């Protein structure tokens, strides 16, 4: 079973920041938080990952709380092409990647 | 680089038929994976490989077989297809192990068994 809890769906206005929350209260010390997204039945696409520090790349920012029990993926300026299902995944070591149902983000014009 | 490629894109099988889903990657990744995704659900791991000649079962391996004779290729074999195997199949690869690096996914194969 997935170790994370995400809202089923969210909406965001185009050009605004999209903030996608994820709860992972049972995360252990050696586990990373990964974010992937899947656009309309294409293969999932890696976005970002982190251990305990906040991370930023060209696609998004990842904010992890100090106790590591939750995190937020931020898309700073959402576009229509960001409409997708976003998966928050906790894994570490040799564990297998476990996808839950994710959050369906709809970016509205 | 082409990344991860999968063939065919679509396939319809009759119950009891067999087929091989092809997957290839040109990134020299040691790790490769097969997932299936049923409608409205997340991905489930079928089999994975940590290198040529080494494969292991994932969460839902029954009804499937794999082989890894080269670093580049990781075919998935369906024997005696059943309607329960109707799904979208994704192949993925990664440089590092599952807990340590991102995975790159192919475009998927949509399989219908009737």
């Amino acid at each position: 079973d997935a170790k994370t809890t995400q809202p089923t769906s969210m909406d965001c206005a185009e050009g605004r920041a999209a903030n996608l929350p994820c709860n992972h209260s049972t995360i252990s010390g050696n586990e990373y938080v990964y974010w992937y997204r899947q656009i309309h039945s294409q293969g999932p696409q890696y976005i970002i990952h982190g251990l305990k520090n906040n991370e930023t790349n060209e696609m998004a920012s990842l904010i992890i709380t100090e106790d590591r029990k939750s995190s937020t993926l931020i898309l700073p300026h959402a576009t229509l092409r960001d409409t997708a299902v976003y998966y928050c995944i906790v894994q570490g070591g040799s564990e297998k990647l476990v996808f839950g149902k994710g959050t369906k983000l709809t970016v509205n014009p | 680089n082409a990344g991860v490629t999968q063939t065919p894109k679509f396939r319809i099988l009759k119950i009891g038929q067999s087929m091989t889903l092809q997957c290839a990657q040109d990134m020299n990744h040691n790790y490769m994976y097969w997932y299936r995704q049923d409608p409205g659900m997340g991905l489930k791991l079928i089999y994975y490989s940590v290198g040529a000649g080494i494969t292991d079962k994932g969460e839902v391996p029954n009804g499937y077989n794999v082989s890894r004779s080269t670093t580049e290729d990781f075919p998935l074999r369906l024997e005696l297809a059943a309607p329960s195997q109707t799904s979208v199949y994704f192949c993925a690869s990664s440089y590092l192990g599952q807990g340590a690096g991102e995975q790159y996914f192919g475009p998927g194969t949509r399989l219908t068994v009737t």
Side-chain angles (χ1 to χ4, degrees):
Chain A
D1 290 334
K3 301 178 183 179
T4 62
T5 304
Q6 299 178 253
T8 302
S9 63
M10 294 182 64
D11 286 275
C12 177
E14 187 177 20
R16 303 297 293 268
N19 297 290
L20 290 88
C22 180
N23 287 325
H24 31 80
S25 58
T26 61
I27 192 170
S28 61
N30 66 341
E31 290 182 317
Y32 287 77
V33 179
Y34 281 80
W35 283 84
Y36 284 77
R37 72 180 182 183
Q38 189 172 24
I39 298 173
H40 190 53
S41 299
Q42 296 177 16
Q45 176 189 26
Y46 165 83
I47 301 173
I48 199 167
H49 75 283
L51 185 62
K52 54 184 177 181
N53 296 323
N54 297 338
E55 302 286 346
T56 295
N57 63 20
E58 65 278 4
M59 288 182 67
S61 295
L62 173 61
I63 309 298
I64 302 174
T65 58
E66 192 167 344
D67 63 7
R68 302 212 318 127
K69 292 185 177 181
S70 66
S71 60
T72 301
L73 178 75
I74 301 173
L75 307 178
H77 304 288
T79 71
L80 299 179
R81 287 176 292 183
D82 292 322
T83 291
V85 177
Y86 287 77
Y87 298 99
C88 170
I89 300 167
V90 165
Q91 63 164 147
S94 61
E95 293 176 358
K96 300 169 181 57
L97 202 64
V98 177
F99 286 81
K101 294 188 178 181
T103 296
K104 180 171 173 54
L105 175 69
T106 302
V107 180
N108 300 304
Chain B
N1 289 349
V4 179
T5 58
Q6 293 183 238
T7 57
K9 287 186 171 56
F10 304 92
R11 184 72 185 269
I12 298 174
L13 282 182
K14 294 189 187 305
I15 294 172
Q17 288 184 323
S18 300
M19 76 164 293
T20 299
L21 282 66
Q22 301 292 344
C23 174
Q25 53 91 10
D26 61 359
M27 297 174 282
N28 202 33
H29 287 167
N30 284 328
Y31 296 81
M32 295 188 75
Y33 317 86
W34 274 106
Y35 296 88
R36 60 175 286 173
Q37 185 175 33
D38 298 332
M41 306 296 287
L43 280 72
K44 293 187 177 180
L45 183 65
I46 305 171
Y47 270 97
Y48 67 101
S49 169
V50 302
I54 306 170
T55 62
D56 205 351
K57 296 178 180 178
E59 184 182 358
V60 290
N62 291 343
Y64 307 95
N65 280 301
V66 294
S67 59
R68 183 96 182 269
S69 57
T70 67
T71 299
E72 294 78 18
D73 300 297
F74 190 39
L76 177 71
R77 178 81 176 164
L78 277 72
E79 305 282 2
L80 299 175
S84 60
Q85 293 177 305
T86 293
S87 191
V88 181
Y89 291 84
F90 291 104
C91 179
S93 72
S94 65
Y95 177 67
L96 298 174
Q98 294 189 82
E102 61 265 33
Q103 294 187 18
Y104 296 84
F105 285 80
T109 293
R110 283 153 183 76
L111 176 67
T112 301
V113 182
T114 61

